[in-house]
Amino acid sequence: MKKFALIGAAGYIAPRHMRAIKDTGNLLVSAYDINDSVGIIDSISPDSEFFTEFERFQEHAFRLKRESAMSLDYVAVCSPNYLHHSHIVAGLRLGCDVICEKPLVPSTEVLDELALVELETGRRVYNILQLRHHQAILDLKEKVEREGGGEKYDVELTYITSRGKWYMESWKGDPRKSFGVATNIGVHFYDMLHFIFGKLQRNDVHFVSEYKAAGYLEYEKARVRWFLSIDAGDLPESVKGKKPTYRSITANGQEIEFSEGFTDLHTKSYQEILAGRGYGIEDARHCVETVEHIRQAAISIPSDGEAHPFVLAMSSQ
């Protein structure tokens, strides 16, 4: 049984990590968050210590480290994006391997810094790249590899996840902390595209605002028009009033159905990490490079056939 600590216990994604720790037969020993709305711990690991001050959390971890039978094995990081680097480094220097949510860090420069701390501590960083474990994505990857070369796939990615007014008041609405909508809600999709279609060859940005972003990506095996949004107004008429989220990926006009099957992906990720098959720094590099470029790129005018239909609709209004 491995012993875990969790940083960011009050966040949206933290319960999936808590459940993955329990479902893999391990123990949540301690948790930290500046907010104390963490009652879900009672149903998963009621004996876990909990702290609202990082210094007390860290000191508790160091005390455990002195007792080899009680020392932590892993630190899971679910804190706001801009704190990932600091919390990962803290976990590594505690002598633990670290499992971190996406995006791992905002830039390749910070990624390289993490690699240095890995070398200094002898510990490892793992990124949750959960879509690599989704069966529909694995099936598509197998199909692409089986069909080999030839024409590139024509892919369209649309992801609209409605967010209320609270979103812009939270850290997620602050681009200094979330790194913008494309990074915050899109990074795992960019990883998925790389996982399936190979190296990125072009990365054009057609539209960016606080609420949405769109562009064109060209991979070794695909041309991708993408659109991401947190604006409920972008939901298709067939979805409005029924569901808050619309997720669609088509390849050569054929819908890739992956609306289901998300529930257990964190547990699967933990199983792979614990078995020594987790995704580390170099696995995350490609999607970190992608979002870093999107944040820095100048807006370009789409070439023929490269604009997402939602961008065309906006430009015609």
Side-chain angles (χ1 to χ4, degrees), residues 206-207 213-215 226-227 302 307-317:
H206 298 156
F207 183 88
W226 62 271
F227 180 88
H308 190 282
F310 285 32
V311 174
L312 294 174
M314 286 191 297
S315 62
S316 66
Q317 291 175 355

Side-chain angles (χ1 to χ4, degrees), residues 6-27:
L6 177 64
I7 296 175
Y12 163 78
I13 206 67
R16 297 189 192 183
H17 286 258
M18 295 181 197
R19 180 62 58 188
I21 291 167
K22 181 177 181 179
D23 289 350
T24 52
N26 297 295
L27 181 66

Side-chain angles (χ1 to χ4, degrees), residues 159-193:
Y159 181 52
I160 304 163
T161 177
S162 307
R163 294 292 184 262
K165 294 179 181 179
W166 68 268
Y167 187 95
M168 299 308 296
E169 294 297 321
S170 75
W171 65 265
K172 296 181 180 183
D174 184 343
R176 297 169 301 175
K177 296 180 177 181
S178 69
F179 312 121
V181 68
T183 299
N184 193 47
I185 71 170
V187 66
H188 53 298
F189 288 112
Y190 304 130
D191 175 70
M192 174 201 71
L193 292 167

Side-chain angles (χ1 to χ4, degrees), residues 197-213:
F197 298 113
K199 291 182 180 179
L200 184 61
Q201 298 172 330
R202 271 183 63 192
N203 186 348
D204 296 342
V205 179
H206 298 156
F207 183 88
V208 173
S209 75
E210 292 178 302
Y211 304 99
K212 61 195 80 175

Side-chain angles (χ1 to χ4, degrees), residues 274-291:
L274 291 163
R277 298 186 295 267
Y279 293 117
I281 285 175
E282 291 310 310
D283 298 295
R285 184 173 296 276
H286 197 282
C287 60
V288 170
E289 289 174 341
T290 302
V291 295

Side-chain angles (χ1 to χ4, degrees), residues 266-284:
H266 278 72
T267 295
K268 178 62 176 177
S269 297
Y270 269 65
Q271 289 169 341
E272 292 297 299
I273 290 167
L274 291 163
R277 298 186 295 267
Y279 293 117
I281 285 175
E282 291 310 310
D283 298 295

